Amino acid sequence: MGWAAAMAVVAAVLCAAAVARGEVVDEFGAGASFIFGDSLVDAGNNNYIPSLSKANMTPNGIDFAASGGMPTGRFTNGRTIADIIGEMLGQADYSPPFLAPNTTGGAILNGVNYASGGAGILNATGKIFVNRIGMDLQVDYFNITRKQLDDLLGRDKAKEFLRRKAIFSVTVGSNDFLNNYLMPVLSTGTRISESPDSFLNDLIFHLRDQLTRLYTLDARKFVVANVGPLGCIPYQKTINRVGEDECVKLPNQLAAQYNGRLRELLIELNGNLPGARFCLANVYDLVMELITNYPNYGFQTASVACCGNGGSYEGLVPCGPTTSMCDARDKHVFWDPYHPSEAANVLLARYIVDGDSKYISPMNLRKLFSL
């Protein structure tokens, strides 16, 4: 008997015993998170591809308890925002990376993580990293998982599991600006030939298609994050040489324009796709709140990266074994030139799971999960 089959037998025995005791049992357990996106939520997929966008080296993961402080491919010092949200919603374990060899059988009932550092909505995004798993390919990979769920649970149960107990989390778009439209060398042709409005149209067109494809594969409960204030990350502040309390205007303007279009798209999809619930996580305003009022949240700096090197904000060289690292990791909003620290991720996750409509709408994730 295979491991997955053995686990299914054990689960059935435990379930029968609980029913005999008169307990209410949910056959699908604590639920699942299927995670799509970029390095903000990558749990290690890029470890398995030849990419220049990797975090499987120290000191990344130094505060990640599940690995004993060893790097896992997460682009932060500890848990990603997706990890923390899964914990808060009672998920039994972290959603494993799709490309990890042990992401098979019963493991996929916790959900699966398809996110990839350097990924974007557009396939051309992130070329600088050589390889990355863009959103189109991430949805293709979910299609493989979808068939595995049919094999594991049977077609009807798999459909019920996905529609009732699974949350589909999408955190993507930053690289379409940082490593595509705003890139000085690689995308000069794009910038000259395409106006901002035309580029945004392109992004929304492709994202609509990607989200609709997930819906046709039985995804129903979605949380889609908007793009954060890109002009405030240490990398952008360093290369543009702005003051400590300033952010770079153009990246933030583009992010705000995209976010307006994203809000309209999710309203449209909520109206057009029967049974679907699309929630918008307002990461832009959440991160701006943290950056603006960082002392109120126990941080010492919202401009200097904890791990990195170069310029006033340690914002040029990504975190790695040879870069400097701060002592008080929980006092920095940013872990490295691009990504929040675990301490910042914990605060962001709390607002998305239990917050009000300023930061998560039309309902928070705890409400969405309970539907």
Side-chain angles (χ1 to χ4, degrees):
M1 181 184 290
W3 179 84
M7 291 304 291
V9 170
V10 171
V13 170
L14 291 173
C15 180
V19 169
R21 293 193 300 269
E23 296 173 12
V24 177
V25 174
D26 191 319
E27 62 189 307
F28 296 132
S33 296
F34 292 91
I35 298 159
F36 302 81
D38 54 31
S39 55
L40 292 168
V41 289
D42 187 349
N45 280 307
N46 279 21
N47 298 351
Y48 301 95
I49 61 174
S51 174
L52 298 177
S53 178
K54 285 183 185 281
N56 60 342
M57 75 286 286
T58 57
N60 292 295
I62 190 169
D63 298 307
F64 190 64
S67 68
M70 297 303 292
T72 61
R74 287 167 169 81
F75 290 75
T76 185
N77 58 308
R79 294 163 295 166
T80 68
I81 189 168
D83 294 328
I84 298 160
I85 286 172
E87 279 181 4
M88 291 182 72
L89 293 176
Q91 200 175 310
D93 205 350
Y94 301 125
S95 302
F98 175 80
L99 293 180
N102 56 350
T103 305
T104 56
I108 68 175
L109 295 177
N110 273 315
V112 177
N113 187 313
Y114 307 89
S116 168
I121 295 166
L122 303 179
N123 291 325
T125 290
K127 273 184 186 170
I128 189 173
F129 302 118
V130 185
N131 273 315
R132 67 276 171 222
I133 308 160
M135 267 300 289
D136 279 343
L137 187 52
Q138 290 183 35
V139 178
D140 290 344
Y141 283 168
F142 174 69
N143 197 18
I144 294 171
T145 303
R146 181 70 191 78
K147 292 177 176 124
Q148 292 171 337
L149 286 167
D150 277 351
D151 293 340
L152 204 61
L153 300 172
R155 186 169 293 178
D156 291 344
K157 288 283 188 214
K159 183 180 285 193
E160 185 188 356
F161 168 69
L162 288 169
R163 292 185 176 196
R164 274 188 50 222
K165 298 296 289 186
I167 284 185
F168 288 75
S169 160
V170 180
T171 307
V172 74
S174 298
N175 287 312
D176 293 289
F177 297 104
L178 290 175
N179 294 305
N180 187 337
Y181 196 75
L182 287 167
M183 282 221 70
V185 181
L186 284 179
S187 64
T188 310
T190 305
R191 296 265 307 269
I192 291 168
S193 65
E194 202 166 6
S195 68
D197 280 346
S198 174
F199 186 72
L200 295 176
N201 287 343
D202 217 8
L203 290 180
I204 295 298
F205 175 84
H206 283 87
L207 185 61
R208 178 189 289 109
D209 180 62
Q210 291 152 358
L211 295 174
T212 304
R213 282 176 64 204
L214 288 173
Y215 174 85
T216 64
L217 294 168
D218 293 310
R220 289 298 180 271
K221 300 178 183 183
F222 293 84
V223 56
V224 183
N226 66 14
V227 170
L230 303 175
C232 303
I233 65 174
Y235 166 72
Q236 281 289 327
K237 290 181 66 150
T238 300
I239 64 168
N240 289 283
R241 300 183 179 183
V242 298
E244 187 165 359
D245 297 327
E246 292 178 275
C247 295
V248 188
K249 285 181 182 161
L250 177 60
N252 280 5
Q253 286 169 354
L254 289 168
Q257 281 179 266
Y258 166 78
N259 291 344
R261 297 289 306 276
L262 176 65
R263 179 178 288 276
E264 291 169 3
L265 172 65
L266 298 187
I267 290 169
E268 170 198 317
L269 293 176
N270 273 326
N272 291 348
L273 299 178
R277 302 289 183 111
F278 287 87
C279 290
L280 175 64
N282 185 3
V283 171
Y284 187 99
D285 284 348
L286 255 178
V287 174
M288 279 305 283
E289 166 63 20
L290 272 191
I291 288 170
T292 307
N293 298 306
Y294 65 89
N296 299 350
Y297 298 94
F299 294 102
Q300 291 171 356
T301 176
S303 54
V304 180
C306 172
C307 184
N309 278 124
S312 307
Y313 310 110
E314 309 293 14
L316 289 179
V317 182
C319 184
T322 60
T323 51
S324 59
M325 182 178 69
C326 69
D327 295 325
R329 298 184 291 274
D330 60 344
K331 302 299 182 190
H332 285 243
V333 171
F334 289 98
W335 163 243
D336 67 8
Y338 299 91
H339 306 98
S341 64
E342 182 185 68
N345 282 333
V346 167
L347 284 166
L348 299 175
R350 281 182 192 157
Y351 280 104
I352 291 168
V353 172
D354 289 312
D356 60 27
S357 60
K358 181 177 181 185
Y359 296 126
I360 177 80
S361 59
M363 68 188 75
N364 64 36
L365 283 210
R366 201 172 295 284
K367 176 83 185 294
L368 177 70
F369 189 60
S370 70
L371 293 177

